[in-house]
Amino acid sequence: GSLWYFIIRRTPLLNANYMNQKNMKALSNNNIIASRVCNMGIIKLNNPQSLNALNHDMVKTLLSLLPVWQSDETIRATLFMGCDVVNKQTKIKSVFCAGGDVKSIYRAGTQNLDEKHGFGFPNLLTSDFFRDEYTVNHIIASQSLAKPQISIWDGIVMGGGVGISVHGKYRVATENTLFAMPETGIGLFPDVGTMYYLSRLDGGLGCFIALTGARLKADDLIYAGIATHYVPSCRLKELQDALAMATDVCSDVTPATVNDCVGTVLDTFNEKIDLSTSQLLNKRNSIDSAFTIKPDKYLEDIIDTLKQIRSCAPNDFVNDTLKTIFKMSPTSLKVTLEGLKRAKKTTSIAQDLEMEFRMMQNFMKEESDFFEGVRAVLIDRSFNPKWNPVKISNLSENIVDGYFCNLGDHELVLSDAHEGESNLDSKL
């Protein structure tokens, strides 16, 4: 392992035989900094004012850049990372990506009411953003295991930030990592392919994370298998150098079609983490009892089970979980649970993302809980959303089923031709 420390060397940003600097800049924008070190392509998210949230221009940049790197046989790995953010106290705060730019989506859907949102029509941000974002998610999920993506989760990683990283082969957590899919709290659902991913976690973990928006730290992520490695933040620069050098050292030795050349480096830097503090581990019995996904389990059943657990003995975790659920959008909760059930039956991430696009378009319709949730949580910051309907009991399964209706000519269509099962299994 010490080899990496002594033979690190940085090549120029780009080699003229691969991709010149002018072309690299053409594929970048101010919020996405693309570079190349040795044979590793590096994406740095650079939108600090919004905690590196993904706007449409950033998504379109990734949509243009990633296929170029995937088709370039000299690129042996890709690395995703976030820029540091300076907070009001002038302290550096590590951030990977706080999600998608939902404020822009909100404005597009509320200020242009003469446009028909929610049906997948092109040239509307409420459809184009998600069509492009989900395509990027699929490109990442389909990337060859011989050309692995490594994502450095140093700081906040939520929503859309999860989508551009969790489908990659390696996800590195640090002591600063804070992971969540908080969409049910703004009248939405965990999207960007996480219906597929979460529905395949052990027991009730995925459903619990999806419905409650639970904030997870490194111990939870390693325990659940969501993060693949733990590296202290003080060693990230050293890790990045070692990863880059590994792509250079193996370029003339190992054919790119055989295996990746960074796994050994990550394993060398990986440190064992104390899992005894993991909330997922400590509350696993309650989580599995209430949240394990079954075809005949509904939201009311989850709530009843939690109440039964509480009736047997005082349980702060169950109390807090119930309080959280009752704060979320009833529509979001029921549609999310149904989405998890359906996602578990899909055979590819492509199928899942196509389903999620249908779901998302229904949430883009006028009077959707999404617009109310964003208003209350992110715009006015009053934190008093008026959900419609207010009560879970007022939401029939027929209404829920309507969120999965086919969009006809405006469907998202993705190919699963490059999604070999061995490829997907190795990432989960």
Side-chain angles (χ1 to χ4, degrees), residues 8 24 35 38 71 88 98 105 120 146 156 183 217 224 248 266 274 283 311 346 348 394 398 412 418:
I8 297 300
M24 182 71 80
S35 61
C38 296
S71 63
K88 293 180 180 178
I105 306 298
I156 296 171
E183 286 80 3
K217 295 188 177 181
D248 201 38
L266 288 163
D274 181 10
K283 308 303 180 184
S311 69
T346 60
S348 69
N394 292 340
N398 285 336
L412 172 65
H418 302 292

Side-chain angles (χ1 to χ4, degrees), residues 184 188-189 211 298-300 303 329-341 359 363 391-397 399-401 403-404:
T184 57
L188 207 54
F189 70 97
L211 295 184
Y298 297 95
L299 184 62
E300 293 84 350
I303 293 170
S329 158
T331 302
S332 292
L333 291 170
K334 282 205 165 186
V335 172
T336 295
L337 180 56
E338 179 62 23
L340 290 168
K341 293 179 187 177
M359 297 165 67
F363 278 102
K391 295 183 178 179
I392 293 170
S393 58
N394 292 340
L395 197 66
S396 71
E397 293 306 316
I399 295 176
V400 172
D401 288 341
Y403 279 75
F404 299 85

Side-chain angles (χ1 to χ4, degrees), residues 94 96 152-158 171-180 215-221 227 229-231 233 236:
S94 300
F96 178 73
I152 306 297
W153 283 350
D154 189 33
I156 296 171
V157 52
M158 296 183 181
R171 291 87 61 190
V172 179
T174 76
E175 74 278 9
N176 300 317
T177 304
L178 180 63
F179 175 108
R215 269 57 171 169
L216 307 178
K217 295 188 177 181
D219 51 0
D220 295 310
L221 297 172
H229 296 80
Y230 175 81
V231 178
S233 61
L236 290 180

Side-chain angles (χ1 to χ4, degrees), residues 66 76 88 99 130 142 166 194 200 272 284 313 347 350 411:
L66 294 180
R76 298 302 307 271
K88 293 180 180 178
F130 297 106
S142 303
V166 78
T194 59
R200 284 160 172 76
K272 288 187 177 180
R284 182 64 187 270
T347 58
E411 284 273 286

Side-chain angles (χ1 to χ4, degrees), residues 209-393:
I209 293 167
L211 295 184
T212 66
R215 269 57 171 169
L216 307 178
K217 295 188 177 181
D219 51 0
D220 295 310
L221 297 172
I222 293 293
Y223 170 72
I226 300 172
T228 59
H229 296 80
Y230 175 81
V231 178
S233 61
C234 62
R235 299 195 70 196
L236 290 180
K237 177 61 169 61
E238 188 182 8
L239 171 63
Q240 183 180 338
D241 289 342
L243 291 169
M245 189 58 209
T247 66
D248 201 38
V249 169
C250 74
S251 61
D252 299 324
V253 179
T254 308
T257 55
V258 175
N259 53 36
D260 74 73
C261 50
V262 297
T264 302
V265 177
L266 288 163
D267 291 343
T268 299
F269 278 80
N270 186 46
E271 296 190 10
K272 288 187 177 180
I273 184 172
D274 181 10
L275 299 182
S276 64
T277 56
S278 166
Q279 63 169 321
L280 297 183
L281 170 63
N282 293 324
K283 308 303 180 184
R284 182 64 187 270
N285 288 339
S286 295
I287 290 172
D288 283 355
S289 296
F291 291 94
T292 298
I293 302 169
K294 297 178 181 178
D296 58 349
K297 177 178 282 187
Y298 297 95
L299 184 62
E300 293 84 350
D301 299 320
I302 292 174
I303 293 170
D304 287 345
T305 302
L306 289 170
K307 289 179 176 179
Q308 289 171 10
I309 294 171
R310 184 177 62 181
S311 69
C312 297
N315 192 314
D316 290 340
F317 169 75
V318 170
N319 284 334
D320 291 341
T321 301
L322 283 168
K323 288 179 182 177
T324 297
I325 286 176
F326 288 130
K327 288 180 182 178
M328 304 303 192
S329 158
T331 302
S332 292
L333 291 170
K334 282 205 165 186
V335 172
T336 295
L337 180 56
E338 179 62 23
L340 290 168
K341 293 179 187 177
R342 297 189 184 209
K344 199 166 186 177
K345 296 178 182 178
T346 60
T347 58
S348 69
I349 293 178
Q351 289 181 13
D352 172 77
L353 287 166
E354 290 166 354
M355 177 192 75
E356 290 186 14
F357 186 72
R358 297 181 199 115
M359 297 165 67
M360 183 59 72
Q361 286 309 288
N362 277 281
F363 278 102
M364 293 299 104
K365 291 179 179 177
E366 191 176 355
E367 305 301 329
S368 162
D369 271 359
F370 166 72
F371 295 107
E372 174 61 15
V374 173
R375 176 204 63 77
V377 177
L378 299 176
I379 305 298
D380 299 346
R381 300 187 69 82
S382 58
F383 299 96
N384 63 342
K386 305 295 190 295
W387 304 128
N388 182 25
V390 176
K391 295 183 178 179
I392 293 170
S393 58

